[in-house]
Amino acid sequence: MNFFEHQDKARRQSRFLVVMFALAVVAIIAAVDVLVYFTIGPDPWTLFWATVITGGIILGASAMRTLQLRGGGGEVAHAMGGTRIDAAPSDPLRQRLRNVVEEIAIASGVPVPEIYVLEQEQGINAFAAGFSPADAAVAVTRGTLEQLDRDELQGVIAHEFSHILNGDMRLNIRLIGFLFGILVIAIVGRKLLYSARFARDSRNAAPAVLAGLGVVVLGYIGLFFGRWIKAAVSRQREFLADASAVQFTRNPDGIGTALKKIGALSAGSYMTADSEEVGHMLFSTGMGYQMFATHPPLEKRIQAIDPSFRVEELEDIKREMDRHAQARKAEAEEAERRQQATEAAEGIDPARLLTDLGGLAEQIGQPGLEQALTAAVMAAGIPAPLERAAHSDEWAQELVCCLLISPDSDVRERQLLQIARTLGGDSEEKVRQLYEAAAGQPRGIRLPLVEMAFPQIRRRPESELLEFMRLLDGLAGADGELDLHEFALTRLVNVLVRDALRPAQSASSGRRKLAARKPEATELMVILARYGHPDDPAGADSAFAAGMSELEGQVPAMPEVSGWAGRLDDLLSRLDDLRPASKHSLVVALLRCAADDEQVVDDELDLLRVVCALLHVPLPLMGPK
């Protein structure tokens, strides 16, 4: 099952979720009506108002919880007690975590998510939350950092990125909102029982206790349905995410040993915080035994990865585990890996990293080891001042601005004046410093740098983000022209900011078939073919023919397209509403067009990346050929 099939399955499961929620609401209302019938009597108006009030409480609570989560993954991580990793973590375990998350994000072709640590949790667990990759957050427990080595941590994070890439996050966060409405009756019952403790005498307490018990019983009907729905939605997806992690790392021992350590650790994967709401999105079970478990049995997950596994192995692993060992080795380990990646990066231009483009579509949402190694090489090649700026709240905006600064001195001064007027004189000086550090760096690292800086940028107020986007547009147009690199960078920031500001409204796909968007797809193919062969009309014709033959089996005459920037904005906004299968066909055709001459120029690579970003399709890194 590829990325697009996963997206389509997530949409179907969303519809299934709505149906199950409706059935649960009907069951709870019916139980309330039965209770009212036998305690108060068969008065129709009483039953009517009991139905209306119960339904109103459930739907209102569900709507309220959904609105609370509209801020995205960070809201869930904060609610679970997460602490965001700062720009320069002094803890080597946190530094290792950030490096692993960034490498996997760059390799997968998605923005780097916010990273949180649940400091009070000693069990081994993790989760990814959000409506879309642009507002995603990845959180791990302190036990995960202290008990897992780098390979095991990479397996866990790759598992969570599978949920990010395959549309599971959006489904999971909607599930939280729906389930809160179902569970709210039980919460009300517990409140009534608690209030009965403060009654002055037993006469006053008795009615409250009886009412509380009755409501708690009704609430457990909701709890039953809630756990059933979570189990139905999440269990099979956990097996798929485990398999994706193995595919990405090519190291089954990584995630396999992480799961074994959960079985060996006394704290297991259990959490002290109430994980009822988020249990379905955790890496492993967050609570003790419960009916309709949200995850497959741990032993079955391990055996799916390592068929030779025996339960007796857990005792040996338990004796070898030392919670302080990882802190001692993480710093030296990261330094060694960075040195190895730096040596591997020598002589490699990240702008020229490419692979068999025709097969790259099958790696969308399922990147492999090649992408992971390429991401490590690319990260190692980023100069230290640029890397520090990308991770800094105070320098991230200035880093993105510096990537648009012109080498022409007159244009550059106009751009710096715009920055000083919008962000202030200090920011202008920071941009000057970063421009010097970025001079001579390959163009291929620029869009990944934007994605690394985005977690810091997205936390700014909406008014500042909108002003920042206007500034970027002004910088790109300072010379009166808009080249394709400027277009790609500004549009990438625009789509990330838009999705982060309105995460609940972002969608990875629509309902249109490709046949309904054939003219737009044809124009997009023309633009890609021409920018891949700017001085070679015959090559552009050949690339266009290759892409169109993949798209529809026949090749129309190559039309003229003028005003490409404005046309691209319009084309991509229309093509974003394609259904997953149609997006798959379009992306395969675009990659076939780009691969026709077996080389990719800078403009072609930037255009491919931003087209996929605006279509909400994560294009993996291209490995060395």
Side-chain angles (χ1 to χ4, degrees):
M1 185 180 294
N2 63 28
F3 166 81
F4 302 94
E5 290 168 334
H6 278 297
Q7 294 287 318
D8 195 45
K9 184 177 180 180
R11 285 179 54 192
R12 293 197 303 272
Q13 285 196 312
S14 293
R15 293 194 290 269
F16 167 80
L17 176 60
V18 172
V19 172
M20 291 300 99
F21 175 70
L23 290 176
V25 172
V26 170
I28 294 170
I29 290 174
V32 170
D33 287 347
V34 169
L35 180 65
V36 169
Y37 181 89
F38 285 106
T39 56
I40 298 177
D43 179 57
W45 280 107
T46 302
L47 292 172
F48 170 78
W49 284 111
T51 299
V52 170
I53 292 171
T54 304
I57 290 173
I58 295 173
L59 296 176
S62 179
M64 180 194 70
R65 189 69 178 121
T66 301
L67 286 174
Q68 289 175 342
L69 297 171
R70 67 184 183 277
E75 298 283 347
V76 179
H78 277 299
M80 292 297 296
T83 302
R84 185 172 61 84
I85 290 184
D86 56 26
S90 56
D91 179 359
L93 294 177
R94 287 181 168 218
Q95 180 66 55
R96 179 169 68 180
L97 171 63
R98 190 179 71 184
N99 291 346
V100 168
V101 171
E102 286 187 346
E103 287 173 15
I104 294 179
I106 292 171
S108 304
V110 297
V112 177
E114 289 188 320
I115 309 169
Y116 290 81
V117 176
L118 309 181
E119 291 288 358
Q120 307 305 315
E121 302 292 349
Q122 297 306 311
I124 299 173
N125 225 320
F127 65 83
F131 285 95
S132 70
D135 75 293
V138 171
V140 305
T141 61
R142 188 70 195 179
T144 300
L145 296 185
E146 292 180 343
Q147 301 292 353
L148 304 187
D149 65 23
R150 195 184 203 279
D151 287 344
E152 294 155 3
L153 179 64
Q154 188 179 51
V156 171
I157 299 302
H159 173 106
E160 297 307 324
F161 265 82
S162 172
H163 291 311
I164 293 175
L165 292 163
N166 292 330
D168 296 348
M169 284 196 316
R170 191 180 189 89
L171 185 67
N172 286 340
I173 208 165
R174 282 178 172 171
L175 194 53
I176 292 177
F178 284 166
L179 293 182
F180 184 79
I182 294 174
L183 300 175
V184 73
I185 304 295
I187 295 172
V188 171
R190 287 201 297 266
K191 294 287 186 184
L192 285 172
L193 286 176
Y194 182 78
S195 66
R197 296 171 52 193
F198 299 98
R200 294 183 179 180
D201 54 52
S202 58
R203 270 187 196 175
N204 293 330
V209 169
L210 290 174
L213 285 173
V215 176
V216 165
V217 170
L218 293 174
Y220 271 90
I221 296 174
L223 189 64
F224 171 87
F225 276 101
R227 289 181 174 173
W228 174 51
I229 292 170
K230 285 194 292 185
V233 169
S234 67
R235 292 189 66 167
Q236 188 59 35
R237 285 180 172 263
E238 293 304 316
F239 277 126
L240 292 173
D242 287 346
S244 294
V246 172
Q247 176 180 326
F248 177 81
T249 62
R250 294 294 193 272
N251 179 16
D253 288 342
I255 188 171
T257 306
L259 290 167
K260 291 173 185 177
K261 284 186 174 181
I262 290 174
L265 187 67
S266 58
S269 58
Y270 299 151
M271 301 178 67
T272 57
D274 185 0
S275 60
E276 179 69 55
E277 270 196 315
V278 301
H280 58 289
M281 64 172 61
L282 296 174
F283 173 70
S284 187
T285 304
M287 301 170 62
Y289 174 79
Q290 61 184 46
M291 186 181 295
F292 302 125
T294 55
H295 292 66
L298 187 66
E299 185 176 336
K300 288 188 176 181
R301 290 178 69 184
I302 297 172
Q303 287 177 337
I305 297 168
D306 178 9
S308 66
F309 167 71
R310 294 176 296 106
V311 176
E312 293 76 20
E313 294 178 36
L314 298 181
E315 286 300 319
D316 296 333
I317 293 173
K318 185 176 183 179
R319 285 192 292 270
E320 295 171 0
M321 290 175 70
D322 179 354
R323 63 176 298 198
H324 300 294
Q326 296 307 321
R328 290 194 295 268
K329 69 185 289 190
E331 190 169 9
E333 180 186 74
E334 287 304 303
E336 181 182 357
R337 286 183 67 86
R338 187 168 183 84
Q339 179 62 32
Q340 292 173 349
T342 301
E343 292 172 359
E346 291 179 1
I348 295 179
D349 178 358
R352 303 299 174 193
L353 293 173
L354 48 117
T355 187
D356 175 15
L357 287 178
L360 189 62
E362 298 310 314
Q363 292 183 291
I364 291 172
Q366 303 177 64
L369 182 60
E370 184 179 58
Q371 278 76 29
L373 295 176
T374 303
V377 168
M378 180 174 286
I382 296 174
L386 301 183
E387 182 186 17
R388 287 195 297 269
H391 296 140
S392 169
D393 290 333
E394 290 76 27
W395 288 72
Q397 284 190 117
E398 288 78 2
L399 173 64
V400 175
C401 289
C402 96
L403 301 178
L404 289 169
I405 297 300
S406 171
D408 182 279
S409 59
D410 291 337
V411 177
R412 182 164 65 248
E413 289 306 314
R414 290 200 297 272
Q415 291 174 317
L416 292 169
L417 180 59
Q418 289 185 52
I419 292 169
R421 287 173 174 169
T422 304
L423 301 179
D426 289 344
S427 291
E428 178 197 355
E429 182 56 35
K430 290 176 182 177
V431 172
R432 288 183 185 273
Q433 295 177 38
L434 292 171
Y435 175 74
E436 294 299 324
Q441 293 301 313
R443 182 164 147 182
I445 70 170
R446 295 187 169 218
L447 295 186
L449 271 174
V450 171
E451 292 173 336
M452 289 172 63
F454 186 67
Q456 286 63 251
I457 293 172
R458 83 186 210 198
R459 287 190 293 272
R460 295 183 176 274
E462 180 174 349
S463 59
E464 289 187 24
L465 289 174
L466 296 176
E467 186 176 48
F468 179 59
M469 288 194 294
R470 288 192 292 268
L471 172 62
L472 295 183
D473 288 339
L475 296 178
D479 59 357
E481 299 178 355
L482 183 68
D483 64 33
L484 211 146
H485 168 65
E486 292 167 338
F487 175 87
L489 193 149
T490 55
R491 281 2 179 228
L492 177 61
V493 173
N494 283 352
V495 71
L496 293 179
V497 169
R498 184 186 68 204
D499 286 353
L501 289 177
R502 305 286 185 271
Q505 297 174 17
S506 65
S508 60
S509 60
R511 300 181 180 277
R512 294 276 186 176
K513 292 184 178 180
L514 190 55
R517 292 285 184 253
K518 180 180 174 182
E520 290 86 351
T522 302
E523 285 191 63
L524 180 58
M525 200 74 67
V526 172
I527 294 171
L528 179 61
R530 291 219 169 123
Y531 268 93
H533 307 81
D535 302 312
D536 181 10
D541 287 340
S542 176
F544 175 76
M548 292 306 296
S549 63
E550 180 72 39
L551 192 63
E552 58 180 38
Q554 56 184 357
V555 182
M558 188 172 179
E560 292 293 328
V561 177
S562 58
W564 65 268
R567 288 301 300 149
L568 266 177
D569 284 330
D570 183 51
L571 294 175
L572 293 171
S573 67
R574 290 172 174 269
L575 291 168
D576 191 33
D577 70 355
L578 290 175
R579 59 178 56 184
S582 294
K583 282 190 179 182
H584 183 206
S585 299
L586 176 61
V587 171
V588 169
L590 292 171
L591 292 172
R592 181 69 186 87
C593 172
D596 183 60
D597 59 357
E598 299 185 349
Q599 61 180 344
V600 180
V601 300
D602 288 330
D603 279 346
E604 200 171 16
L605 183 56
D606 278 351
L607 182 55
L608 279 173
R609 290 203 61 179
V610 77
V611 163
C612 286
L614 293 172
L615 294 178
H616 294 92
V617 174
L619 185 68
L621 266 187
M622 302 176 190
K625 188 174 181 180

